[in-house]
Amino acid sequence: MNLLRGLTARYARSSVVCGLFRRRSLHTNVVETLRERNFVHSVTSDDIASRLQKPVAVYCGVDPTADSLHLGNMVALMGLLHFHLAGHQALPLVGNATGMIGDPSGRSSERVALGQNTLSKNVAGIEVQLERFFRRGTEYAARRIPSLDPESLKPVRILHNADWYQNMNILTFLGHIGRYVRVGAMVARDSVKSRLQSSQGISFTEFSYQLLQAYDFWYLYHHHGCRVQLGGSDQWGNITAGTDLIHRMPFSSTLDDTGVTSEDNDAVAAKAKGDEDGAFGITIPLLTTASGEKFGKSAGNAIWLDEKRTSAFDVYQFFVKTADADVERLLRMFTLLPLPRIEQ
């Protein structure tokens, strides 16, 4: 977590602050922790906090459109880290299938299609970063939260959505999944409406992206007991497409009904089948400057997590030079500093 050093540099020099670090504790309910730290933009149900009193599986996906994650991705991953530290099962998902399609959310033009070699290289780079992020994030938390026992936490499981698409053909997808999705709802989503109104328009490929992300949530719900999806605020339409599909599309363990077979425990799938209303989504505010400018690859101002793209010194300098108006918000999101100290 070296990039956090720059952000905390102006606060971490005194023994008083070090003591506050050690006294930092976790909320019993992770949703309250996320709210306090300004991670919550929208939720699909106000009932979510009460439904997360017991550990559940939570996923957050990232498409391998580059060989490195950036600071914008890290915001959502910090949200997932909070779930991990609170004892939930964290499922970071690498979209090596959806990455071939391209998410139209937040874009005014279509993404450039990735070749297989580029995609494989990107997946490999992101896998390494995800493993390192959760390992170092847990170590960072263990040094500052006395009550945290890293050995008691559920191991983070990095998944790939190509695993459940590789044996599915287009007829299976349309015949067994597409029939449960309504075109009116698809067209009404902001990511689609904005593109339909533009001169660029939207291709069927990108239009169908939301179906794939919806099925990801459906699959993880039934085969991994996943109850919550995290994503940036621009992912609201894709996330609600998933909760809607979970409510509409019944579960069956047969290949004929779902197009895939599962190697997971049948008891997990059976439990998911009996809890059809237990799918939730949480969106997290996008990383922006005080002026509202978005950070990220699409915006052209990404701060990469790969030192070959953005050096550790440059990341450090980025945080040290952060405008005063942004400091409190970034400290809440990117550190485990106690909130009273941040407010000072």
Side-chain angles (χ1 to χ4, degrees):
M1 305 292 286
N2 290 334
L3 62 85
L4 298 178
R5 293 176 184 170
L7 186 57
T8 59
R10 68 184 76 178
Y11 300 102
R13 294 189 179 94
S14 72
S15 60
V16 175
V17 175
C18 292
L20 284 169
F21 265 129
R22 289 192 291 270
R23 291 197 296 273
R24 199 281 188 195
S25 61
L26 288 172
H27 245 299
T28 54
N29 191 295
V30 67
V31 176
E32 296 307 314
T33 298
L34 295 179
R35 290 189 190 279
E36 289 180 349
R37 291 185 171 267
N38 299 338
F39 275 101
V40 179
H41 182 273
S42 301
V43 295
T44 56
S45 171
D46 292 333
D47 192 37
I48 186 170
S50 63
R51 298 297 293 273
L52 296 181
Q53 297 293 339
K54 296 181 180 179
V56 300
V58 183
Y59 103 90
C60 177
V62 56
D63 282 345
T65 53
D67 59 2
S68 173
L69 300 171
H70 53 73
L71 208 57
N73 298 129
M74 190 174 167
V75 177
L77 291 176
M78 283 297 295
L80 190 59
L81 177 64
H82 278 286
F83 272 96
H84 172 60
L85 297 177
H88 298 275
Q89 174 68 69
L91 301 174
L93 175 68
V94 180
N96 53 340
T98 44
M100 299 176 67
I101 302 302
D103 184 1
S105 301
R107 292 184 61 88
S108 59
S109 61
E110 188 156 350
R111 296 180 186 272
V112 177
L114 299 177
Q116 189 58 53
N117 290 339
T118 300
L119 184 68
S120 298
K121 177 175 176 288
N122 293 352
V123 169
I126 288 175
E127 284 176 342
V128 171
Q129 290 184 332
L130 287 172
E131 186 280 328
R132 183 171 57 196
F133 172 82
F134 285 99
R135 173 169 48 83
R136 291 184 177 178
T138 303
E139 293 170 354
Y140 167 74
R143 292 194 300 268
R144 291 159 172 80
I145 306 173
S147 60
L148 181 65
D149 177 12
E151 298 300 321
S152 68
L153 301 179
K154 294 178 171 60
V156 174
R157 299 181 62 188
I158 300 176
L159 304 176
H160 305 79
N161 59 9
D163 291 347
W164 47 87
Y165 288 114
Q166 60 185 352
N167 295 323
M168 184 186 299
N169 60 40
I170 186 65
L171 295 178
T172 299
F173 185 80
L174 293 177
H176 296 282
I177 300 170
R179 71 176 65 252
Y180 293 101
V181 180
R182 296 296 173 261
V183 173
M186 295 177 67
V187 173
R189 295 194 168 100
D190 291 340
S191 60
V192 173
K193 282 198 300 184
S194 61
R195 288 285 292 278
L196 287 175
Q197 295 167 1
S198 70
S199 58
Q200 289 277 347
I202 187 170
S203 68
F204 176 76
T205 299
E206 288 198 339
F207 178 67
S208 64
Y209 181 92
Q210 58 184 290
L211 295 183
L212 298 176
Q213 187 167 327
Y215 184 70
D216 286 346
F217 197 2
W218 184 96
Y219 184 88
L220 293 171
Y221 180 94
H222 288 290
H223 296 273
H224 291 272
C226 181
R227 293 295 178 271
V228 180
Q229 180 180 176
L230 291 180
S233 57
D234 59 348
Q235 293 296 304
W236 178 256
N238 294 335
I239 291 174
T240 54
T243 57
D244 186 60
L245 185 64
I246 289 168
H247 296 155
R248 289 176 176 272
M249 182 171 158
F251 172 81
S252 173
S253 60
T254 65
L255 180 64
D256 289 341
D257 283 350
T258 66
V260 294
T261 56
S262 172
E263 297 179 356
D264 296 288
N265 193 311
D266 289 341
V268 174
K271 180 181 178 182
K273 181 181 178 181
D275 187 18
E276 294 183 347
D277 295 325
F280 302 94
I282 301 177
T283 60
I284 296 173
L286 298 178
L287 184 62
T288 61
T289 65
S291 62
E293 181 184 7
K294 177 184 174 182
F295 278 107
K297 180 165 58 64
S298 299
N301 58 355
I303 304 297
W304 300 97
L305 305 189
D306 186 339
E307 290 188 1
K308 295 178 181 178
R309 284 177 170 263
T310 304
S311 70
F313 177 78
D314 287 338
V315 174
Y316 178 88
Q317 287 297 312
F318 167 78
F319 281 122
V320 168
K321 295 176 181 179
T322 297
D324 289 346
D326 291 330
V327 170
E328 179 178 349
R329 177 171 56 88
L330 296 182
L331 284 170
R332 287 173 180 265
M333 285 186 165
F334 288 115
T335 78
L336 298 181
L337 275 167
L339 295 179
R341 178 57 183 170
I342 293 177
E343 291 166 358
Q344 291 177 12

Coordinates of all heavy atoms in Angstrom, one line a residue, residues 62-124:
V62 N -13.7 -5.9 -12.5 CA -12.9 -5.0 -13.3 C -12.5 -5.6 -14.6 O -12.1 -6.8 -14.7 CB -11.6 -4.6 -12.5 CG1 -10.8 -5.8 -12.1 CG2 -10.8 -3.6 -13.3
D63 N -12.8 -4.9 -15.7 CA -12.4 -5.4 -17.0 C -11.0 -5.1 -17.4 O -10.5 -4.0 -17.1 CB -13.3 -4.8 -18.1 CG -14.7 -5.4 -18.1 OD1 -14.9 -6.5 -17.5 OD2 -15.6 -4.8 -18.7
P64 N -10.3 -6.1 -18.0 CA -8.9 -5.9 -18.3 C -8.7 -5.1 -19.6 O -8.1 -5.5 -20.6 CB -8.4 -7.3 -18.5 CG -9.6 -8.1 -19.0 CD -10.8 -7.4 -18.3
T65 N -9.1 -3.8 -19.5 CA -8.9 -2.9 -20.7 C -7.5 -2.3 -20.8 O -7.2 -1.7 -21.7 CB -10.0 -1.8 -20.7 OG1 -9.9 -1.1 -19.4 CG2 -11.4 -2.4 -20.9
A66 N -6.7 -2.6 -19.7 CA -5.3 -2.2 -19.7 C -4.6 -3.2 -18.8 O -5.2 -4.0 -18.2 CB -5.2 -0.8 -19.1
D67 N -3.3 -3.2 -18.8 CA -2.5 -4.2 -18.1 C -2.3 -3.7 -16.6 O -1.5 -4.4 -15.9 CB -1.2 -4.5 -18.8 CG -0.3 -3.2 -18.9 OD1 -0.7 -2.2 -18.5 OD2 0.8 -3.4 -19.5
S68 N -2.9 -2.6 -16.2 CA -2.8 -2.2 -14.9 C -4.1 -1.5 -14.4 O -4.9 -1.0 -15.2 CB -1.7 -1.1 -14.8 OG -1.6 -0.5 -13.5
L69 N -4.4 -1.6 -13.1 CA -5.4 -0.9 -12.5 C -5.0 0.5 -12.3 O -3.8 0.8 -12.3 CB -5.8 -1.6 -11.2 CG -6.3 -3.0 -11.2 CD1 -6.5 -3.6 -9.8 CD2 -7.6 -3.1 -12.0
H70 N -5.9 1.4 -12.0 CA -5.6 2.8 -11.7 C -6.3 3.2 -10.4 O -7.1 2.5 -9.8 CB -5.9 3.7 -12.8 CG -7.3 3.6 -13.3 ND1 -8.4 4.1 -12.6 CD2 -7.8 3.1 -14.5 CE1 -9.5 3.9 -13.3 NE2 -9.2 3.2 -14.4
L71 N -6.0 4.4 -10.0 CA -6.5 4.9 -8.7 C -8.1 4.9 -8.7 O -8.7 4.7 -7.6 CB -6.0 6.3 -8.5 CG -5.9 6.8 -7.0 CD1 -5.0 5.9 -6.3 CD2 -5.4 8.2 -7.0
G72 N -8.7 5.1 -9.8 CA -10.2 5.1 -9.9 C -10.7 3.7 -9.5 O -11.7 3.5 -8.8
N73 N -10.0 2.6 -10.0 CA -10.4 1.3 -9.7 C -10.2 1.0 -8.2 O -10.9 0.2 -7.6 CB -9.5 0.2 -10.5 CG -9.6 0.3 -12.0 OD1 -8.6 0.4 -12.7 ND2 -10.9 0.3 -12.5
M74 N -9.2 1.6 -7.6 CA -8.8 1.4 -6.2 C -9.9 1.8 -5.3 O -10.1 1.3 -4.2 CB -7.5 2.0 -5.9 CG -7.0 1.6 -4.5 SD -5.3 2.2 -4.2 CE -5.2 1.9 -2.5
V75 N -10.7 2.8 -5.7 CA -11.8 3.3 -4.8 C -12.8 2.1 -4.5 O -13.1 1.8 -3.4 CB -12.5 4.4 -5.4 CG1 -13.7 4.9 -4.5 CG2 -11.6 5.6 -5.6
A76 N -13.2 1.4 -5.6 CA -14.1 0.3 -5.4 C -13.5 -0.8 -4.7 O -14.1 -1.5 -3.9 CB -14.7 -0.1 -6.8
L77 N -12.2 -1.1 -5.0 CA -11.5 -2.2 -4.3 C -11.3 -1.9 -2.8 O -11.3 -2.8 -2.0 CB -10.1 -2.4 -5.0 CG -10.2 -2.9 -6.4 CD1 -8.7 -3.0 -7.0 CD2 -10.8 -4.3 -6.4
M78 N -11.1 -0.6 -2.5 CA -11.1 -0.3 -1.0 C -12.4 -0.6 -0.4 O -12.5 -1.1 0.8 CB -10.8 1.2 -0.8 CG -9.3 1.6 -1.0 SD -8.2 0.8 0.1 CE -8.7 1.5 1.7
G79 N -13.5 -0.4 -1.1 CA -14.8 -0.8 -0.6 C -14.9 -2.3 -0.3 O -15.4 -2.8 0.7
L80 N -14.4 -3.1 -1.3 CA -14.3 -4.5 -1.2 C -13.4 -4.9 0.0 O -13.7 -5.9 0.7 CB -13.9 -5.1 -2.5 CG -14.1 -6.7 -2.6 CD1 -15.5 -7.1 -2.4 CD2 -13.6 -7.1 -4.0
L81 N -12.3 -4.2 0.1 CA -11.4 -4.5 1.2 C -12.1 -4.3 2.6 O -11.9 -5.2 3.5 CB -10.2 -3.6 1.2 CG -9.1 -3.8 2.3 CD1 -8.5 -5.2 2.3 CD2 -8.0 -2.7 2.2
H82 N -12.9 -3.3 2.7 CA -13.7 -3.1 4.0 C -14.6 -4.4 4.3 O -14.7 -4.8 5.4 CB -14.5 -1.9 3.9 CG -13.7 -0.6 4.3 ND1 -13.3 -0.3 5.5 CD2 -13.3 0.4 3.5 CE1 -12.6 0.8 5.5 NE2 -12.6 1.3 4.3
F83 N -15.2 -4.9 3.2 CA -16.0 -6.1 3.4 C -15.1 -7.2 3.8 O -15.5 -8.0 4.7 CB -16.7 -6.4 2.1 CG -18.1 -5.8 1.9 CD1 -18.2 -4.6 1.2 CD2 -19.2 -6.3 2.5 CE1 -19.4 -4.0 1.0 CE2 -20.5 -5.7 2.3 CZ -20.5 -4.5 1.6
H84 N -14.0 -7.4 3.2 CA -13.1 -8.5 3.6 C -12.6 -8.4 5.0 O -12.7 -9.4 5.8 CB -11.8 -8.4 2.6 CG -10.7 -9.3 3.0 ND1 -10.9 -10.7 3.0 CD2 -9.4 -9.0 3.3 CE1 -9.7 -11.2 3.4 NE2 -8.8 -10.3 3.6
L85 N -12.3 -7.2 5.5 CA -11.8 -7.0 6.8 C -12.9 -7.2 7.8 O -12.7 -7.5 9.0 CB -11.3 -5.6 7.0 CG -10.0 -5.2 6.2 CD1 -9.6 -3.8 6.4 CD2 -8.9 -6.2 6.5
A86 N -14.2 -7.0 7.4 CA -15.3 -7.3 8.3 C -15.8 -8.7 8.3 O -16.8 -9.0 8.9 CB -16.5 -6.4 7.9
G87 N -15.0 -9.6 7.6 CA -15.3 -11.0 7.7 C -16.2 -11.6 6.6 O -16.5 -12.8 6.6
H88 N -16.5 -10.8 5.6 CA -17.2 -11.2 4.4 C -16.3 -11.9 3.4 O -15.1 -11.7 3.4 CB -18.0 -10.1 3.8 CG -19.0 -9.4 4.7 ND1 -20.3 -9.9 4.8 CD2 -18.9 -8.4 5.5 CE1 -20.9 -9.2 5.7 NE2 -20.1 -8.2 6.1
Q89 N -16.9 -12.6 2.5 CA -16.1 -13.3 1.4 C -15.9 -12.3 0.2 O -16.9 -12.0 -0.4 CB -16.8 -14.5 0.9 CG -16.2 -15.2 -0.3 CD -14.8 -15.8 0.0 OE1 -14.7 -16.8 0.8 NE2 -13.7 -15.2 -0.5
A90 N -14.7 -11.8 0.0 CA -14.5 -10.9 -1.1 C -14.2 -11.7 -2.4 O -13.4 -12.6 -2.4 CB -13.3 -10.0 -0.8
L91 N -14.9 -11.3 -3.5 CA -14.7 -11.9 -4.8 C -14.4 -10.9 -5.8 O -15.3 -10.4 -6.5 CB -16.1 -12.7 -5.2 CG -16.6 -13.7 -4.2 CD1 -18.0 -14.2 -4.7 CD2 -15.6 -14.9 -4.1
P92 N -13.1 -10.5 -5.9 CA -12.8 -9.7 -7.1 C -12.9 -10.4 -8.4 O -12.4 -11.6 -8.5 CB -11.3 -9.3 -6.8 CG -10.8 -10.3 -5.8 CD -12.0 -10.8 -5.1
L93 N -13.5 -9.9 -9.4 CA -13.8 -10.6 -10.6 C -13.1 -9.9 -11.8 O -13.2 -8.7 -12.0 CB -15.3 -10.6 -10.9 CG -15.7 -11.2 -12.3 CD1 -15.5 -12.7 -12.3 CD2 -17.2 -10.9 -12.5
V94 N -12.2 -10.7 -12.5 CA -11.5 -10.2 -13.6 C -12.4 -10.5 -14.9 O -12.7 -11.7 -15.1 CB -10.1 -10.8 -13.8 CG1 -9.5 -10.2 -15.1 CG2 -9.3 -10.5 -12.6
G95 N -12.8 -9.5 -15.6 CA -13.8 -9.7 -16.7 C -13.0 -10.0 -18.0 O -13.1 -9.3 -19.0
N96 N -12.4 -11.2 -18.0 CA -11.7 -11.6 -19.3 C -12.7 -12.0 -20.4 O -12.3 -12.1 -21.5 CB -10.7 -12.7 -19.0 CG -11.3 -13.9 -18.3 OD1 -12.4 -13.9 -17.7 ND2 -10.6 -15.0 -18.4
A97 N -14.0 -12.1 -20.1 CA -15.0 -12.3 -21.1 C -15.6 -10.9 -21.5 O -15.6 -10.5 -22.7 CB -16.1 -13.2 -20.7
T98 N -16.1 -10.2 -20.5 CA -16.7 -8.9 -20.7 C -15.7 -7.9 -21.3 O -16.0 -6.9 -22.0 CB -17.3 -8.3 -19.5 OG1 -16.4 -8.5 -18.4 CG2 -18.6 -9.0 -19.2
G99 N -14.4 -8.1 -21.0 CA -13.4 -7.2 -21.5 C -13.3 -7.2 -23.0 O -12.7 -6.3 -23.7
M100 N -13.7 -8.3 -23.6 CA -13.7 -8.5 -25.1 C -14.9 -7.7 -25.7 O -14.9 -7.5 -26.9 CB -13.8 -9.9 -25.5 CG -12.7 -10.8 -24.9 SD -12.8 -12.5 -25.3 CE -12.7 -12.5 -27.1
I101 N -15.9 -7.3 -24.9 CA -17.1 -6.6 -25.4 C -16.9 -5.1 -25.2 O -17.1 -4.3 -26.1 CB -18.3 -7.1 -24.6 CG1 -18.5 -8.6 -24.8 CG2 -19.6 -6.4 -25.2 CD1 -18.5 -9.1 -26.3
G102 N -16.6 -4.7 -24.0 CA -16.5 -3.2 -23.7 C -17.7 -2.6 -23.1 O -18.8 -2.7 -23.6
D103 N -17.5 -2.0 -21.9 CA -18.6 -1.4 -21.2 C -18.8 0.0 -21.7 O -17.9 0.9 -21.7 CB -18.3 -1.3 -19.7 CG -19.4 -0.8 -18.8 OD1 -20.5 -0.4 -19.4 OD2 -19.2 -0.7 -17.6
P104 N -20.0 0.4 -22.2 CA -20.3 1.7 -22.7 C -20.5 2.8 -21.6 O -20.5 4.0 -21.9 CB -21.6 1.6 -23.5 CG -22.3 0.5 -22.8 CD -21.2 -0.5 -22.3
S105 N -20.6 2.4 -20.3 CA -20.8 3.3 -19.2 C -19.8 4.4 -19.2 O -18.6 4.1 -19.2 CB -20.9 2.6 -17.9 OG -21.9 1.6 -17.9
G106 N -20.2 5.6 -19.2 CA -19.3 6.7 -19.0 C -18.5 7.1 -20.2 O -17.5 7.9 -20.2
R107 N -18.8 6.5 -21.4 CA -18.1 6.7 -22.6 C -19.0 7.3 -23.7 O -20.1 7.0 -23.8 CB -17.5 5.4 -23.1 CG -16.4 4.9 -22.2 CD -15.8 3.6 -22.9 NE -15.1 3.9 -24.1 CZ -13.9 4.4 -24.3 NH1 -13.1 4.5 -23.2 NH2 -13.4 4.6 -25.5
S108 N -18.3 8.2 -24.5 CA -19.1 8.8 -25.6 C -18.8 8.1 -26.9 O -19.4 8.4 -27.9 CB -18.7 10.3 -25.7 OG -17.3 10.4 -25.9
S109 N -17.8 7.2 -26.9 CA -17.5 6.4 -28.2 C -17.2 5.0 -27.8 O -16.9 4.7 -26.6 CB -16.3 7.1 -28.9 OG -15.2 7.0 -28.0
E110 N -17.2 4.1 -28.8 CA -17.0 2.7 -28.6 C -15.5 2.4 -28.3 O -14.6 3.0 -28.8 CB -17.5 1.9 -29.8 CG -17.4 0.4 -29.6 CD -18.4 -0.3 -30.5 OE1 -19.2 0.4 -31.2 OE2 -18.4 -1.6 -30.5
R111 N -15.3 1.4 -27.4 CA -14.0 1.0 -27.1 C -13.3 0.3 -28.2 O -14.0 -0.4 -29.0 CB -14.0 0.1 -25.8 CG -14.4 0.8 -24.6 CD -14.4 -0.2 -23.4 NE -15.0 0.4 -22.2 CZ -14.3 1.1 -21.3 NH1 -13.0 1.3 -21.5 NH2 -14.9 1.6 -20.3
V112 N -12.0 0.4 -28.3 CA -11.3 -0.4 -29.3 C -11.2 -1.8 -28.9 O -10.9 -2.1 -27.7 CB -9.8 0.2 -29.5 CG1 -9.0 -0.6 -30.5 CG2 -9.9 1.6 -29.9
A113 N -11.5 -2.7 -29.8 CA -11.5 -4.2 -29.5 C -10.1 -4.6 -29.2 O -9.2 -4.2 -29.8 CB -12.1 -5.0 -30.6
L114 N -10.0 -5.5 -28.1 CA -8.7 -6.0 -27.7 C -8.4 -7.3 -28.4 O -9.3 -8.2 -28.5 CB -8.7 -6.2 -26.2 CG -8.9 -5.0 -25.3 CD1 -8.9 -5.4 -23.9 CD2 -7.8 -4.0 -25.6
G115 N -7.2 -7.5 -28.9 CA -6.8 -8.8 -29.4 C -6.5 -9.8 -28.3 O -6.4 -9.4 -27.1
Q116 N -6.5 -11.1 -28.6 CA -6.4 -12.1 -27.5 C -5.1 -12.0 -26.8 O -5.0 -12.1 -25.5 CB -6.5 -13.5 -28.1 CG -6.6 -14.6 -27.1 CD -7.8 -14.4 -26.2 OE1 -8.9 -14.3 -26.6 NE2 -7.5 -14.5 -24.9
N117 N -4.0 -11.7 -27.5 CA -2.7 -11.6 -26.8 C -2.7 -10.4 -25.8 O -2.2 -10.5 -24.7 CB -1.6 -11.4 -27.8 CG -1.3 -12.6 -28.6 OD1 -1.7 -13.7 -28.2 ND2 -0.7 -12.5 -29.8
T118 N -3.3 -9.3 -26.3 CA -3.3 -8.1 -25.4 C -4.2 -8.4 -24.2 O -3.9 -8.0 -23.1 CB -3.9 -6.9 -26.2 OG1 -3.0 -6.6 -27.3 CG2 -4.0 -5.7 -25.3
L119 N -5.4 -9.0 -24.4 CA -6.3 -9.4 -23.3 C -5.6 -10.2 -22.3 O -5.7 -10.0 -21.1 CB -7.5 -10.0 -23.9 CG -8.6 -10.4 -22.9 CD1 -9.3 -9.1 -22.4 CD2 -9.7 -11.3 -23.5
S120 N -4.9 -11.3 -22.8 CA -4.2 -12.2 -21.9 C -3.1 -11.4 -21.0 O -3.0 -11.7 -19.8 CB -3.5 -13.3 -22.6 OG -4.5 -14.1 -23.3
K121 N -2.4 -10.5 -21.7 CA -1.4 -9.8 -21.0 C -2.0 -8.9 -19.9 O -1.5 -8.8 -18.8 CB -0.6 -8.9 -22.0 CG 0.4 -8.0 -21.4 CD 1.2 -7.3 -22.5 CE 2.2 -6.3 -21.9 NZ 1.5 -5.1 -21.4
N122 N -3.1 -8.3 -20.3 CA -3.8 -7.4 -19.3 C -4.4 -8.2 -18.1 O -4.3 -7.7 -17.0 CB -5.0 -6.7 -20.0 CG -4.5 -5.7 -21.0 OD1 -3.3 -5.4 -21.2 ND2 -5.4 -5.1 -21.8
V123 N -4.9 -9.4 -18.4 CA -5.5 -10.2 -17.3 C -4.4 -10.6 -16.4 O -4.5 -10.5 -15.1 CB -6.2 -11.5 -17.9 CG1 -6.5 -12.5 -16.8 CG2 -7.4 -11.1 -18.6
A124 N -3.2 -11.0 -16.9 CA -2.1 -11.4 -16.0 C -1.7 -10.2 -15.1 O -1.4 -10.4 -14.0 CB -1.0 -11.9 -16.9

